[in-house]
Structure formats: structure tokens, C-alpha cells
Amino acid sequence: MGGLCLGKLPKVNELGFYEIRLESIGGLGANLAGKMLSEDGVVGNGLNGVGFSSYGSEKKGSPVKAHIRFCDPKTNIRDNTPIERPHVIGIFHDALFKTINCTSGIYPDSTVLVNSLKSPDELMKLMNIPSGSIAVVDATGIALEEQTKANTAMLGALYRILDFLDPESMKNTIRRTFQNKYPHLVEPNIRTFERGFSEVVFQTYEAKEETALQSFSRHEPFLGYETQPLGGMVTNPGNSILKDLSISRVGMLPHFHDDKCINCAACDTVCPDFCFVWEEKPDKKGRPQMFLKGIDYQYCKGCLKCVHACPVDALTREREYNDGYAEKNRVPHLFDLATK
């Protein structure tokens, strides 16, 4: 990944742009990361560039895309459309693969950076792409240890890929961004950036045969003007029993210790998403009582309010590793429509 002169773009498209797309969800800081990356490319490295984001409602768990274009200082930027053919993609959470085609429109030699604990081989199969370079960094783990956010670790990893940019200039950008309002976050974020830069791993895959350039596909809603139920009723809104909040989690989950639970329901009282599953059983005297059966992680966004509310430490903070912890420990709700 090394050997290029700083400020010299390794490749450009037909309009003279080197393009980067960040795929994320609200709460992980991709919008700020895109702003900092575009700012540093221009101010710190002498390139011409532009950065902007696209998102719907600004809330935790909703999809966010950041778009960054760099070009030679003499090239005018007259294109502000969303990036459909990125040279580099940064994926801030590998749970995004459940709902979004994150790699749509990539070149055969594009580089895909993923915040994940999975191996490059596992991610290659999961993303179903024929070739290119896979870069993997545990940005969530770094952020948890440094008490920052995953976006700075992702920026560090991106600077290993974008080796025409000077990492020292990004450290200056981090200082400018945080020092006025949040001076106590400057050094932790610089450490997070440095760890992302040093801990990212790469694997390149050559195409086994010549393949056609992947087309870019825009996400279309399942229900439209002609396919809505009678009366235009939306049957699957964000607060329905069919939702999946796993994409909102940022590395931590509540873990239920059945042997310590006193079934006081303090956890259920503070839970904003009705994650806890209860079952009526007789108590020691044969009287009917509701007993906590477990947690339906499909609805858990990892806010950990339940952990703070539990008076007997029957709920503890646990790191959500990418080995299917939530799927293995999920207790589905007992309602018919919520068991799928």
C-alpha cells in the first residue's frame, strides 16, 4: 500500500476524480469522518476536493452515506451527485450487510474497508464480490478501549489505504475539530486514529476470470404506489414487531444471568424497545408470577439502560463479538408474528 507521493492520486475516473464512499448508520460518526477526511485532503494535502453526506432522519440506527471526491488542484469539481463508483468504500458496521448492498458499483480493483472481527475471507464471501482488496479493522473494539467512537479508528485505517494523504495532517485536523469544545477528547482520538492506522489488515483477491463491472443499484422501498395495501397503510414501519435493531449496536450488549435475577422488572421498565421476554409460571407457593425468560436481541440497540437499572447485577455489559453472540443467546418473543 505504500510508495506513492503524498498528494498524488493513484487513479481517477473519467472526470478526473478519486472517489470514496462511507457506508454507515446514525451514531457511528461517519458524517463527521467524511467532513474531516475531505477537509484534510484539501487543507492539509493540497488537493481539490468535496465532501457531503446523505441520510434520512438523523437518528441512531438509520442509514448514512458520506461521499468524498478528490482531484488535482487544477481540476474543477462540477459533479456533486452521490458517488456510485467508489475507488474505496468504508463500511462502519458489518451488520449493514443485512439490509444494504454496501459494495454496489465498485470497480474490480476497489478497496473495501470493514469495521469487523471477521476475516477477509469471511467478508469476501459475505459481500459476494469477485475481486479487489479487503481491509479489516476492529474499529469498535479500539473505540471501546479508548472511550472514543469508531469513526476515528476508521479514519486511521483509511489513511493506510489512502497513502497519498499525510496521516500527520489528519492528526492536526483532529486537534482542530475537538480542541475548542472537547479538549479532553483530543489525545484519545489521536490514539484511536494511530491504532486504526497500525491495526488494519489487508488481503487482495485477484479475479479468477474477467468479470463485468458491477452496476450500481439504488435501494427501493418494498412498498410503493402500486404495491401498498388498501388505504396506503404501511405494514412494516420502524416501530413494528418486524424491525431488526441489531444494526444500531455499537459493540456492547446486556447479558442475562438467570441465577441472579429476582424478576423485579426494573430492566423492562427502562427498556425503550421491549426487548425482554416474560413467561408466566407458578412461584414457590404455586401462585402465578411473571418470570424473565431472556432477551430478544432482535430489538436490542445496545443502550444498556437495563444494566444500570438492575439492582442485583443480573444484567452485565458484554462485548458483541462477530461470532453470532446475539443470535446464539436470543430468546424470541412469544408472539406469533415476532418469532421469525
Side-chain angles (χ1 to χ4, degrees):
M1 291 285 171
L4 294 172
C5 296
L6 292 177
K8 182 176 169 135
L9 298 171
K11 62 185 83 170
V12 292
N13 62 14
E14 64 278 4
L15 296 177
F17 302 140
Y18 186 92
E19 298 187 324
I20 304 155
R21 189 172 76 222
L22 306 181
E23 299 271 1
S24 185
I25 53 175
L28 296 183
N31 183 23
L32 178 60
K35 289 179 180 177
M36 293 170 67
L37 178 56
S38 57
E39 175 189 335
D40 186 57
V42 174
V43 176
N45 292 269
L47 294 168
N48 196 5
V50 64
F52 55 95
S53 297
S54 59
Y55 42 81
S57 55
E58 288 189 85
K59 64 180 181 179
K60 184 176 181 180
S62 59
V64 174
K65 295 179 187 290
H67 309 272
I68 302 98
R69 285 189 173 92
F70 290 129
C71 59
D72 184 89
K74 296 180 182 178
T75 302
N76 293 322
I77 298 179
R78 294 191 174 97
D79 183 3
N80 288 301
T81 58
I83 290 171
E84 298 184 353
R85 295 238 170 257
H87 297 95
V88 173
I89 291 181
I91 301 171
F92 278 54
H93 198 311
D94 62 6
L96 280 162
F97 299 136
K98 293 181 179 180
T99 54
I100 299 173
N101 182 9
C102 300
T103 59
S104 179
I106 62 172
Y107 296 99
D109 60 348
S110 289
T111 299
V112 181
L113 169 66
V114 189
N115 170 22
S116 179
L117 283 169
K118 294 182 174 68
S119 69
D121 289 341
E122 289 176 305
L123 291 168
M124 193 73 177
K125 293 178 182 177
L126 190 61
M127 292 185 287
N128 192 28
I129 55 178
S131 62
S133 295
I134 307 294
V136 186
V137 66
D138 180 18
T140 298
I142 295 171
L144 287 171
E145 291 174 13
E146 300 293 344
Q147 298 185 350
T148 54
K149 283 192 174 183
N151 58 348
T152 321
M154 289 292 285
L155 279 173
L158 281 167
Y159 269 64
R160 280 285 299 280
I161 300 166
L162 309 173
D163 51 4
F164 53 88
L165 299 177
D166 182 6
E168 292 302 318
S169 68
M170 174 50 76
K171 293 179 186 178
N172 293 329
T173 300
I174 291 172
R175 290 187 181 96
R176 287 197 306 273
T177 301
F178 292 104
Q179 66 186 357
N180 290 332
K181 281 191 174 182
Y182 311 104
H184 62 288
L185 294 179
V186 172
E187 291 308 317
N189 273 285
I190 288 177
R191 288 197 304 271
T192 302
F193 175 83
E194 290 173 340
R195 287 188 60 183
F197 186 89
S198 61
E199 294 178 24
V200 63
V201 295
F202 300 91
Q203 181 71 45
T204 299
Y205 299 86
E206 300 293 340
K208 295 180 181 177
E209 56 186 28
E210 188 173 344
T211 55
L213 189 65
Q214 285 196 23
S215 60
F216 177 80
S217 59
R218 288 186 178 87
H219 174 70
E220 298 290 340
F222 293 110
L223 298 176
Y225 175 75
E226 295 182 348
T227 55
Q228 288 268 3
L230 186 63
M233 180 173 57
V234 179
T235 59
N236 189 17
N239 61 349
S240 77
I241 59 176
L242 301 174
K243 68 182 177 181
D244 185 350
L245 288 179
S246 63
I247 200 171
S248 305
R249 296 193 284 264
V250 290
M252 302 300 290
L253 280 176
H255 179 70
F256 176 49
H257 302 274
D258 187 28
D259 57 324
K260 296 182 180 179
C261 183
I262 59 174
N263 302 295
C264 66
C267 55
D268 204 18
T269 303
V270 299
C271 178
D273 293 295
F274 304 101
C275 302
F276 292 93
V277 182
W278 296 84
E279 186 177 26
E280 184 179 301
K281 295 190 294 185
D283 64 8
K284 293 179 180 179
K285 295 183 179 181
R287 298 169 299 188
Q289 181 181 331
M290 299 303 291
F291 288 85
L292 183 56
K293 189 176 181 182
I295 304 171
D296 194 338
Y297 288 109
Q298 175 175 323
Y299 306 103
C300 177
K301 60 175 176 275
C303 69
L304 302 179
K305 292 180 180 179
C306 56
V307 175
H308 298 294
C310 182
V312 293
D313 296 328
L315 292 164
T316 56
R317 295 162 51 99
E318 299 291 340
R319 172 76 198 275
E320 182 187 16
Y321 291 100
N322 291 10
D323 58 358
Y325 174 93
E327 287 75 12
K328 290 177 184 176
N329 293 277
R330 178 194 174 204
V331 177
H333 271 294
L334 305 176
F335 311 115
D336 292 339
L337 292 175
T339 56
K340 296 181 182 179

